[in-house]
Short mmCIF file of all heavy atoms in Angstrom, two decimals:
data_model
loop_
_atom_site.label_atom_id
_atom_site.label_comp_id
_atom_site.label_asym_id
_atom_site.label_seq_id
_atom_site.Cartn_x
_atom_site.Cartn_y
_atom_site.Cartn_z
N THR A 355 -5.25 -1.64 9.93
CA THR A 355 -5.18 -0.40 9.23
C THR A 355 -6.49 0.33 9.14
O THR A 355 -6.63 1.55 9.03
CB THR A 355 -4.70 -0.48 7.76
OG1 THR A 355 -5.59 -1.17 6.95
CG2 THR A 355 -3.26 -1.06 7.67
N ARG A 356 -7.51 -0.46 9.32
CA ARG A 356 -8.96 0.15 9.26
C ARG A 356 -9.40 0.68 10.65
O ARG A 356 -10.36 1.35 10.80
CB ARG A 356 -9.97 -0.89 8.81
CG ARG A 356 -9.65 -1.41 7.43
CD ARG A 356 -10.02 -0.50 6.40
NE ARG A 356 -11.52 -0.10 6.45
CZ ARG A 356 -11.86 1.08 6.11
NH1 ARG A 356 -11.01 2.04 5.72
NH2 ARG A 356 -13.19 1.42 6.29
N MET A 357 -8.61 0.36 11.75
CA MET A 357 -9.04 0.90 13.01
C MET A 357 -8.24 2.13 13.28
O MET A 357 -7.12 2.17 13.87
CB MET A 357 -8.60 -0.26 14.07
CG MET A 357 -9.27 -1.56 13.76
SD MET A 357 -11.11 -1.45 13.81
CE MET A 357 -11.53 -2.90 12.68
N ARG A 358 -8.81 3.34 12.96
CA ARG A 358 -8.10 4.58 12.94
C ARG A 358 -8.37 5.36 14.20
O ARG A 358 -9.51 5.41 14.68
CB ARG A 358 -8.45 5.35 11.68
CG ARG A 358 -8.41 4.62 10.39
CD ARG A 358 -7.00 4.26 10.04
NE ARG A 358 -6.18 5.44 9.75
CZ ARG A 358 -5.82 5.81 8.52
NH1 ARG A 358 -6.17 5.07 7.50
NH2 ARG A 358 -4.97 6.88 8.37
N GLU A 359 -7.25 6.00 14.70
CA GLU A 359 -7.50 6.98 15.78
C GLU A 359 -7.46 8.41 15.24
O GLU A 359 -6.62 8.75 14.36
CB GLU A 359 -6.29 6.94 16.71
CG GLU A 359 -6.12 5.54 17.41
CD GLU A 359 -6.99 5.41 18.62
OE1 GLU A 359 -7.76 6.35 18.91
OE2 GLU A 359 -6.92 4.27 19.26
N LYS A 360 -8.51 9.17 15.59
CA LYS A 360 -8.68 10.50 14.94
C LYS A 360 -7.46 11.36 15.08
O LYS A 360 -7.16 12.29 14.23
CB LYS A 360 -9.95 11.18 15.45
CG LYS A 360 -11.19 10.55 14.93
CD LYS A 360 -12.47 11.38 15.43
CE LYS A 360 -13.65 10.75 14.89
NZ LYS A 360 -14.97 11.56 15.42
N ASP A 361 -6.79 11.30 16.21
CA ASP A 361 -5.79 12.26 16.55
C ASP A 361 -4.31 11.63 16.26
O ASP A 361 -3.42 12.15 16.70
CB ASP A 361 -5.86 12.61 18.04
CG ASP A 361 -5.77 11.53 18.97
OD1 ASP A 361 -5.87 10.28 18.50
OD2 ASP A 361 -5.71 11.63 20.18
N ALA A 362 -4.35 10.56 15.50
CA ALA A 362 -2.97 9.97 15.22
C ALA A 362 -2.71 9.82 13.74
O ALA A 362 -1.96 8.92 13.35
CB ALA A 362 -2.97 8.56 15.89
N TYR A 363 -3.31 10.69 12.97
CA TYR A 363 -3.17 10.52 11.59
C TYR A 363 -1.78 10.64 11.00
O TYR A 363 -1.34 9.72 10.20
CB TYR A 363 -4.05 11.67 10.78
CG TYR A 363 -3.84 11.63 9.36
CD1 TYR A 363 -4.53 10.65 8.52
CD2 TYR A 363 -3.02 12.48 8.66
CE1 TYR A 363 -4.36 10.57 7.12
CE2 TYR A 363 -2.87 12.50 7.33
CZ TYR A 363 -3.58 11.57 6.51
OH TYR A 363 -3.34 11.54 5.14
N LEU A 364 -1.03 11.57 11.49
CA LEU A 364 0.38 11.66 10.93
C LEU A 364 1.23 10.37 11.24
O LEU A 364 2.00 9.95 10.29
CB LEU A 364 1.11 12.88 11.64
CG LEU A 364 2.45 13.19 11.06
CD1 LEU A 364 2.36 13.45 9.58
CD2 LEU A 364 3.05 14.43 11.83
N LEU A 365 1.04 9.72 12.37
CA LEU A 365 1.72 8.50 12.63
C LEU A 365 1.12 7.29 11.82
O LEU A 365 1.87 6.59 11.27
CB LEU A 365 1.66 8.16 14.11
CG LEU A 365 2.32 9.16 15.09
CD1 LEU A 365 2.19 8.63 16.54
CD2 LEU A 365 3.90 9.19 14.81
N GLU A 366 -0.10 7.15 11.86
CA GLU A 366 -0.81 6.06 11.28
C GLU A 366 -0.81 6.01 9.80
O GLU A 366 -0.72 4.82 9.18
CB GLU A 366 -2.28 5.87 11.82
CG GLU A 366 -2.28 5.61 13.35
CD GLU A 366 -3.64 5.38 13.78
OE1 GLU A 366 -4.62 5.71 13.09
OE2 GLU A 366 -3.79 4.90 14.94
N HIS A 367 -0.91 7.14 9.21
CA HIS A 367 -1.06 7.25 7.67
C HIS A 367 0.17 6.57 7.06
O HIS A 367 -0.02 5.69 6.08
CB HIS A 367 -1.10 8.70 7.29
CG HIS A 367 -1.06 8.81 5.76
ND1 HIS A 367 -2.07 8.29 4.93
CD2 HIS A 367 -0.22 9.55 4.98
CE1 HIS A 367 -1.68 8.66 3.70
NE2 HIS A 367 -0.67 9.31 3.64
N SER A 368 1.39 6.87 7.36
CA SER A 368 2.55 6.36 6.77
C SER A 368 2.71 4.85 7.05
O SER A 368 3.12 4.08 6.12
CB SER A 368 3.82 7.04 7.29
OG SER A 368 3.81 8.37 6.81
N ILE A 369 2.30 4.39 8.20
CA ILE A 369 2.30 2.96 8.59
C ILE A 369 1.34 2.27 7.61
O ILE A 369 1.66 1.22 7.05
CB ILE A 369 1.94 2.79 10.02
CG1 ILE A 369 2.99 3.42 10.90
CG2 ILE A 369 1.90 1.27 10.41
CD1 ILE A 369 2.53 3.43 12.40
N ASN A 370 0.14 2.81 7.49
CA ASN A 370 -0.85 2.14 6.69
C ASN A 370 -0.48 2.10 5.25
O ASN A 370 -0.67 1.13 4.53
CB ASN A 370 -2.18 2.84 6.78
CG ASN A 370 -2.83 2.66 8.15
OD1 ASN A 370 -2.42 1.95 9.01
ND2 ASN A 370 -3.87 3.45 8.42
N VAL A 371 0.14 3.21 4.67
CA VAL A 371 0.60 3.25 3.32
C VAL A 371 1.72 2.15 3.15
O VAL A 371 1.70 1.43 2.05
CB VAL A 371 1.06 4.61 2.93
CG1 VAL A 371 1.84 4.57 1.56
CG2 VAL A 371 -0.01 5.62 2.94
N SER A 372 2.56 1.92 4.15
CA SER A 372 3.54 0.91 4.06
C SER A 372 2.95 -0.52 3.91
O SER A 372 3.33 -1.27 3.10
CB SER A 372 4.51 1.04 5.23
OG SER A 372 5.56 0.08 5.16
N ILE A 373 1.96 -0.70 4.79
CA ILE A 373 1.29 -2.04 4.78
C ILE A 373 0.62 -2.34 3.52
O ILE A 373 0.72 -3.30 2.78
CB ILE A 373 0.35 -2.13 6.01
CG1 ILE A 373 1.14 -2.13 7.36
CG2 ILE A 373 -0.60 -3.37 5.87
CD1 ILE A 373 0.25 -1.95 8.55
N LEU A 374 -0.19 -1.23 3.02
CA LEU A 374 -1.03 -1.47 1.80
C LEU A 374 -0.16 -1.54 0.65
O LEU A 374 -0.49 -2.36 -0.26
CB LEU A 374 -1.99 -0.21 1.72
CG LEU A 374 -3.10 -0.15 2.81
CD1 LEU A 374 -3.81 1.07 2.70
CD2 LEU A 374 -4.03 -1.36 2.75
N ILE A 375 0.94 -0.89 0.47
CA ILE A 375 1.77 -1.02 -0.76
C ILE A 375 2.50 -2.30 -0.70
O ILE A 375 2.75 -2.96 -1.78
CB ILE A 375 2.80 0.17 -0.84
CG1 ILE A 375 3.25 0.35 -2.25
CG2 ILE A 375 3.97 -0.01 0.12
CD1 ILE A 375 3.87 1.69 -2.58
N SER A 376 2.76 -2.88 0.52
CA SER A 376 3.39 -4.23 0.54
C SER A 376 2.36 -5.27 0.08
O SER A 376 2.67 -6.20 -0.79
CB SER A 376 3.72 -4.55 1.99
OG SER A 376 4.72 -3.68 2.42
N ILE A 377 1.11 -5.12 0.39
CA ILE A 377 0.02 -6.05 -0.12
C ILE A 377 -0.15 -5.80 -1.58
O ILE A 377 -0.24 -6.88 -2.31
CB ILE A 377 -1.34 -5.69 0.59
CG1 ILE A 377 -1.20 -6.03 2.03
CG2 ILE A 377 -2.46 -6.46 0.02
CD1 ILE A 377 -2.33 -5.64 2.93
N PHE A 378 -0.15 -4.62 -2.05
CA PHE A 378 -0.30 -4.33 -3.46
C PHE A 378 0.89 -4.88 -4.28
O PHE A 378 0.64 -5.57 -5.31
CB PHE A 378 -0.34 -2.67 -3.62
CG PHE A 378 -0.80 -2.24 -4.99
CD1 PHE A 378 -1.23 -3.09 -5.96
CD2 PHE A 378 -0.55 -0.94 -5.36
CE1 PHE A 378 -1.69 -2.59 -7.23
CE2 PHE A 378 -0.99 -0.40 -6.58
CZ PHE A 378 -1.52 -1.20 -7.44
N ALA A 379 2.08 -4.71 -3.76
CA ALA A 379 3.24 -5.29 -4.53
C ALA A 379 3.23 -6.83 -4.49
O ALA A 379 3.63 -7.32 -5.54
CB ALA A 379 4.50 -4.71 -3.83
N LYS A 380 2.79 -7.46 -3.42
CA LYS A 380 2.74 -8.76 -3.41
C LYS A 380 1.72 -9.29 -4.51
O LYS A 380 2.03 -10.30 -5.20
CB LYS A 380 2.24 -9.28 -1.95
CG LYS A 380 2.16 -10.82 -1.87
CD LYS A 380 1.44 -11.34 -0.64
CE LYS A 380 0.00 -11.14 -0.77
NZ LYS A 380 -0.74 -11.88 0.30
N HIS A 381 0.68 -8.68 -4.62
CA HIS A 381 -0.36 -9.07 -5.68
C HIS A 381 0.13 -8.88 -7.05
O HIS A 381 -0.31 -9.52 -8.04
CB HIS A 381 -1.60 -8.34 -5.36
CG HIS A 381 -2.47 -9.12 -4.39
ND1 HIS A 381 -3.67 -9.81 -4.62
CD2 HIS A 381 -2.28 -9.21 -2.97
CE1 HIS A 381 -4.14 -10.21 -3.46
NE2 HIS A 381 -3.37 -9.83 -2.49
N LEU A 382 1.01 -7.96 -7.26
CA LEU A 382 1.61 -7.70 -8.54
C LEU A 382 2.76 -8.65 -8.84
O LEU A 382 3.29 -8.63 -10.04
CB LEU A 382 2.08 -6.24 -8.67
CG LEU A 382 0.96 -5.12 -8.66
CD1 LEU A 382 1.60 -3.75 -8.81
CD2 LEU A 382 0.01 -5.27 -9.82
N GLY A 383 3.11 -9.44 -7.96
CA GLY A 383 4.23 -10.34 -8.12
C GLY A 383 5.56 -9.81 -8.05
O GLY A 383 6.50 -10.33 -8.52
N ILE A 384 5.72 -8.61 -7.42
CA ILE A 384 6.90 -7.96 -7.21
C ILE A 384 7.84 -8.66 -6.23
O ILE A 384 7.32 -9.08 -5.20
CB ILE A 384 6.75 -6.43 -6.89
CG1 ILE A 384 6.12 -5.70 -8.12
CG2 ILE A 384 8.08 -5.77 -6.56
CD1 ILE A 384 5.66 -4.30 -7.76
N GLU A 385 9.13 -8.75 -6.52
CA GLU A 385 10.10 -9.46 -5.69
C GLU A 385 10.14 -8.84 -4.20
O GLU A 385 10.03 -7.62 -4.12
CB GLU A 385 11.44 -9.57 -6.26
CG GLU A 385 11.40 -10.36 -7.57
CD GLU A 385 10.86 -11.75 -7.31
OE1 GLU A 385 11.34 -12.41 -6.51
OE2 GLU A 385 9.92 -12.17 -8.06
N LYS A 386 10.47 -9.65 -3.28
CA LYS A 386 10.47 -9.17 -1.85
C LYS A 386 11.54 -8.06 -1.65
O LYS A 386 11.35 -7.16 -0.86
CB LYS A 386 10.75 -10.36 -0.96
CG LYS A 386 9.48 -11.12 -0.55
CD LYS A 386 9.76 -12.13 0.56
CE LYS A 386 8.47 -12.91 0.91
NZ LYS A 386 8.76 -13.86 2.07
N SER A 387 12.63 -8.21 -2.39
CA SER A 387 13.74 -7.19 -2.23
C SER A 387 13.19 -5.80 -2.63
O SER A 387 13.56 -4.70 -2.07
CB SER A 387 14.97 -7.52 -3.08
OG SER A 387 14.74 -7.62 -4.35
N ILE A 388 12.35 -5.67 -3.59
CA ILE A 388 11.78 -4.47 -4.06
C ILE A 388 10.72 -3.98 -3.14
O ILE A 388 10.54 -2.87 -2.75
CB ILE A 388 11.24 -4.56 -5.47
CG1 ILE A 388 12.35 -5.00 -6.48
CG2 ILE A 388 10.57 -3.27 -5.93
CD1 ILE A 388 13.52 -4.02 -6.57
N ILE A 389 9.88 -4.99 -2.65
CA ILE A 389 8.87 -4.70 -1.64
C ILE A 389 9.43 -4.07 -0.42
O ILE A 389 8.93 -3.14 0.23
CB ILE A 389 8.08 -5.95 -1.39
CG1 ILE A 389 7.41 -6.53 -2.59
CG2 ILE A 389 6.81 -5.48 -0.33
CD1 ILE A 389 6.56 -7.72 -2.34
N GLN A 390 10.67 -4.60 -0.06
CA GLN A 390 11.33 -4.00 1.14
C GLN A 390 11.61 -2.47 0.94
O GLN A 390 11.42 -1.70 1.88
CB GLN A 390 12.70 -4.75 1.27
CG GLN A 390 13.72 -4.08 2.21
CD GLN A 390 13.56 -4.49 3.72
OE1 GLN A 390 12.99 -5.49 3.99
NE2 GLN A 390 14.03 -3.66 4.57
N GLU A 391 12.12 -2.19 -0.20
CA GLU A 391 12.31 -0.77 -0.47
C GLU A 391 11.08 0.08 -0.53
O GLU A 391 10.96 1.18 -0.10
CB GLU A 391 13.08 -0.60 -1.83
CG GLU A 391 14.54 -1.18 -1.82
CD GLU A 391 15.20 -0.86 -3.10
OE1 GLU A 391 15.55 0.22 -3.37
OE2 GLU A 391 15.49 -1.92 -3.92
N LEU A 392 10.05 -0.51 -1.10
CA LEU A 392 8.68 0.17 -1.17
C LEU A 392 8.14 0.43 0.21
O LEU A 392 7.70 1.46 0.57
CB LEU A 392 7.82 -0.68 -1.95
CG LEU A 392 7.92 -0.80 -3.51
CD1 LEU A 392 7.06 -1.88 -4.05
CD2 LEU A 392 7.60 0.48 -4.17
N ALA A 393 8.21 -0.63 1.07
CA ALA A 393 7.68 -0.48 2.43
C ALA A 393 8.38 0.44 3.27
O ALA A 393 7.88 1.25 4.04
CB ALA A 393 7.66 -1.87 3.07
#
Side-chain angles (χ1 to χ4, degrees):
T355 66
R356 298 288 300 147
M357 306 297 155
R358 310 294 293 254
E359 300 278 1
K360 288 184 179 180
D361 58 352
Y363 174 77
L364 186 57
L365 294 178
E366 293 183 345
H367 173 62
S368 291
I369 299 170
N370 290 355
V371 172
S372 181
I373 292 168
L374 293 172
I375 203 168
S376 298
I377 294 170
F378 192 11
K380 182 190 74 167
H381 278 251
L382 293 179
I384 293 173
E385 294 305 306
K386 280 190 176 182
S387 60
I388 301 297
I389 303 179
Q390 164 88 24
E391 295 185 65
L392 290 168

